[in-house]
Amino acid sequence: MADPARSTLPLPDYDHLPIGGLESRVRSLSADEVEQLLAYERSHADRLAVTRLLGSRLEQLRGGAEPTSGDPNAVRPEAGPGGRGGSPVSPATSPQPHSPPPHGTPDQPAQPKGDRTR
């Protein structure tokens, strides 16, 4: 069941934002909006890094800082590097095949060694 408080948050996708993307986005919020996020965070996930980030921003706003548009060029880990998906691994960058382990493979189980109890 969805939490009704989630629908009233100043950042609609707040629950899915990684911490790296949150820092830039909270810069555009007012003190009241940051307080709302901080209360929500404390009553839900209560992630230490997030509560510190929000608490620090709230202190800045109470100390006279003004909300800004945030940094649109800030690191956005949720977007991934260069907008490309997938792995940079290709046949050219893959390692060479290696020998099977000395104890055998599933299709060639190890053979018991001779009786060593003489």
Side-chain angles (χ1 to χ4, degrees), residues 14-37:
Y14 174 78
D15 282 337
H16 303 288
L17 289 174
I19 294 171
L22 184 61
E23 185 171 10
S24 175
R25 294 179 192 190
V26 298
R27 299 192 70 69
S28 65
L29 302 178
S30 69
D32 289 341
E33 291 170 321
V34 174
E35 283 179 356
Q36 184 181 2
L37 283 180

Side-chain angles (χ1 to χ4, degrees), residues 32-64:
D32 289 341
E33 291 170 321
V34 174
E35 283 179 356
Q36 184 181 2
L37 283 180
L38 187 55
Y40 179 84
E41 180 65 32
R42 285 181 175 151
S43 67
H44 289 80
D46 201 20
R47 299 168 287 178
L48 181 60
V50 175
T51 57
R52 283 183 178 169
L53 170 74
L54 294 173
S56 175
R57 181 59 183 157
L58 188 56
E59 285 179 28
Q60 292 170 356
L61 291 166
R62 289 180 177 161

Side-chain angles (χ1 to χ4, degrees), residues 51-117:
T51 57
R52 283 183 178 169
L53 170 74
L54 294 173
S56 175
R57 181 59 183 157
L58 188 56
E59 285 179 28
Q60 292 170 356
L61 291 166
R62 289 180 177 161
E66 294 289 325
T68 66
S69 61
D71 182 1
N73 297 318
V75 175
R76 298 177 76 120
E78 70 272 19
R84 290 181 37 200
S87 171
V89 175
S90 70
T93 61
S94 296
Q96 294 297 318
H98 62 281
S99 301
H103 57 277
T105 62
D107 60 328
Q108 295 178 331
Q111 299 298 319
K113 296 188 179 190
D115 185 9
R116 295 184 183 198
T117 59

